[in-house]
Amino acid sequence: MDGMLKALTASWEALPYILGGIWWTLGLIIGAMAVGLVFGVPLAVGQVYGRRPVRRLVSLYVWLFRGVPILVQLYLFYFGILAYLSRIPALAFLHLDSAFAAAVLVLGLTSAAYQSQIFRGAIQSLPEGQLKAARALGMTDATAIATIILPQALRLSIPAWSNEYSILLKDSALAFVIGVLEIMSRTRSVAATTHQPLPLSILAGLIFFALTWAGLKALKTLEAKVRMEGYSHQGSL
């Protein structure tokens, strides 16, 4: 009974501090998904419509970032690449206690590899005749892709994009290894001082579960608002 009381007391007292990590976690997720979107869309377009050298470069990028564990990338970027670049006077701004920036960059570039395949599948699910019809109307390929193909593909990608959100949310917990004060980092810090790792880990798990549920609910609502009739089952490609 005493042990349970201590566990509950530790969890209650630590709750405000751990909840403060939600903002860091959400910052990581929003930043990473934005980076993934900005890079993922051009990668997908290059893989579908690019020439062979472009397709090979995109495939290499996807293979590299999907093949190297995020934990390894965090160490490489934070203690390696960013640390080296920050020594260059013109790039000294990169040293802004850049654990958060490094985590967003790593998660975002990795997400771009996965998002590119989501968008590629959505693009390829569209009828090929649309691009041909746009050409017949005098549109350039770039204009047709930007104004006709991508708006449809992005809407079709939302279900799979929801999966990427939940994956990124869980991967963000790895940012604690470079000192980002997100949920897991704060949980480990409190557990080390209170010696109550189990109840605090359960608390952190519940917070992650709540964030996953809320994010998926929001994306489900977005999906319903922009759903394209006749394509409702193709968005999960």
Side-chain angles (χ1 to χ4, degrees):
M1 184 64 68
D2 289 341
M4 182 177 295
L5 182 60
K6 288 181 179 179
L8 291 174
T9 301
S11 298
W12 178 254
E13 292 178 349
L15 183 59
Y17 178 68
I18 294 176
L19 287 176
I22 289 177
W23 302 111
W24 289 85
T25 295
L26 290 178
L28 289 172
I29 300 307
I30 294 171
M33 292 200 76
V35 171
L37 180 65
V38 168
F39 286 94
V41 171
L43 288 172
V45 171
Q47 197 164 24
V48 176
Y49 299 110
R51 298 179 181 274
R52 181 176 294 181
V54 174
R55 295 199 302 270
R56 287 182 175 177
L57 284 174
V58 173
S59 296
L60 177 62
Y61 176 94
V62 172
W63 174 81
L64 178 63
F65 279 92
R66 293 175 68 175
V68 179
I70 290 178
L71 190 61
V72 175
Q73 293 184 46
L74 285 170
Y75 280 119
L76 286 175
F77 273 79
Y78 185 57
F79 296 110
I81 296 174
L82 289 182
Y84 174 78
L85 292 177
S86 66
R87 297 173 186 169
I88 302 174
L91 300 176
F93 67 91
L94 290 174
H95 183 67
L96 32 89
D97 283 330
S98 50
F100 180 82
V104 168
L105 187 60
V106 168
L107 291 172
L109 293 177
T110 302
S111 180
Y114 286 96
Q115 289 192 48
S116 69
Q117 300 311 292
I118 294 172
F119 301 138
R120 178 183 62 83
I123 291 171
Q124 292 178 330
S125 73
L126 296 171
E128 295 182 5
Q130 292 190 10
L131 189 57
K132 295 179 181 178
R135 289 169 177 163
L137 292 174
M139 288 187 180
T140 64
D141 285 359
T143 300
I145 292 170
T147 60
I148 297 176
I149 302 299
L150 286 182
Q152 297 178 79
L154 290 175
R155 284 186 285 179
L156 292 176
S157 300
I158 292 176
W161 209 54
S162 300
N163 293 334
E164 181 63 14
Y165 163 80
S166 62
I167 291 170
L168 269 177
L169 178 58
K170 289 177 284 189
D171 286 343
S172 70
L174 293 172
F176 82 89
V177 299
I178 57 174
V180 180
L181 293 175
E182 44 73 56
I183 295 169
M184 200 62 214
S185 177
R186 292 171 181 242
T187 301
R188 285 171 56 89
S189 176
V190 176
T193 57
T194 62
H195 306 290
Q196 295 290 341
L198 181 57
L200 291 171
S201 296
I202 293 174
L203 176 61
L206 291 174
I207 295 172
F208 275 109
F209 178 83
L211 290 175
T212 301
W213 180 86
L216 293 180
K217 185 73 173 178
L219 289 170
K220 191 71 175 178
T221 301
L222 177 62
E223 177 191 354
K225 288 185 177 181
V226 301
R227 178 180 290 120
M228 297 169 57
E229 296 298 329
Y231 289 93
S232 58
H233 297 293
Q234 296 188 36
S236 59
L237 291 173

